[in-house]
Amino acid sequence: ETGVTQTPRHLVMGMTNKKSLKCEQHLGHNAMYWYKQSAKKPLELMFVYNFKEQTENNSVPSRFSPECPNSSHLFLHLHTLQPEDSALYLCASSQGTPGGQETQYFGPGTRLLVL
Amino acid sequence: GDSVTQMEGPVTLSEEAFLTINCTYTATGYPSLFWYVQYPGEGLQLLLKATKADDKGSNKGFEATYRKETTSFHLEKGSVQVSDSAVYFCALSDLIQGAQKLVFGQGTRLTINP
């Protein structure tokens, strides 16, 4: 049990659908992250939030829209996705202390299939 | 930019064999180094880490030493078990505005046969 939960665990959507992925952490952390894990590619950092402020957008297409209403919750809103967006989307959290060499804790991921 | 290179997989070994998974990195500054493990159907779990040169991280029989002179962080285990079958990721950390950015290698799939 890592203290980071993600819902749904599996999602199938059409290219015209709108859906949202949810992540919740119960660790009292201040930083939260979205990663994309595709087959045969390294894990790619998508977004970083620190104390609810977005500090990193790693050139992610606008069809992915993150939202961080508080330090415990992180959403990824999806609209008009493409089949190549099919992947495992992982959420992580960390303490967020400046200068800290800290550990990130990962959720189990949402397996997304875009048809 | 920073990068991590892992040995190509998949790696298949027999139970009780010795394991080495190579990892090298390029980075400016002095990053922390990590090994994460991903079991089937699950997210990533931290296996071990080292925060400075010559540090050795260890956990569950796995070890890795931060070698600054060779920019390496190779993962080793003396006697593997079937339950060690998983994908292993080497990563380094970089700080971005107070939060941590992890740069991952491509992962190495390990299968242990009984």
Side-chain angles (χ1 to χ4, degrees), chain A residues 9 31 33 35 37 41-43 45 48 50 55-56 58 88 90 96-104 106-108, chain B residues 30-32 34 36 38 41-46 49 51 87 89 93 95-102 104-106:
Chain A
R9 292 294 307 275
Y33 311 76
Y35 288 87
Q37 186 178 25
K41 289 179 70 175
L43 271 125
L45 178 66
V48 180
N50 196 21
T55 58
E56 179 89 353
N58 204 23
L88 181 67
L90 291 164
T97 51
Q101 300 292 354
E102 54 190 21
T103 298
Q104 285 186 24
F106 284 79
Chain B
Y30 304 98
S32 288
F34 303 81
Y36 279 84
Q38 186 176 32
E42 298 183 15
L44 276 69
Q45 300 174 27
L46 178 69
K49 71 177 184 180
T51 58
V87 181
F89 294 90
S93 69
L95 277 177
I96 43 169
Q97 299 186 45
Q100 183 197 56
K101 175 179 178 177
L102 283 175
F104 286 90
Q106 69 270 36

Side-chain angles (χ1 to χ4, degrees), chain A residues 3-69:
Chain A
V4 181
T5 58
Q6 289 186 244
T7 54
R9 292 294 307 275
H10 302 272
L11 178 62
V12 180
M13 58 188 290
M15 290 189 283
T16 58
N17 293 157
K18 288 184 180 181
K19 296 287 185 183
S20 295
L21 310 185
K22 178 183 175 183
C23 175
E24 184 173 1
Q25 58 94 2
H26 312 276
L27 301 169
H29 289 164
N30 297 304
M32 297 188 76
Y33 311 76
W34 279 117
Y35 288 87
K36 177 183 178 182
Q37 186 178 25
S38 307
K40 300 183 181 179
K41 289 179 70 175
L43 271 125
E44 302 170 76
L45 178 66
M46 300 175 72
F47 301 104
V48 180
Y49 279 81
N50 196 21
F51 290 89
K52 299 187 294 180
E53 297 295 321
Q54 187 179 129
T55 58
E56 179 89 353
N57 177 338
N58 204 23
S59 303
V60 180
S62 59
R63 57 186 183 270
F64 294 91
S65 174
E67 179 189 1
C68 188

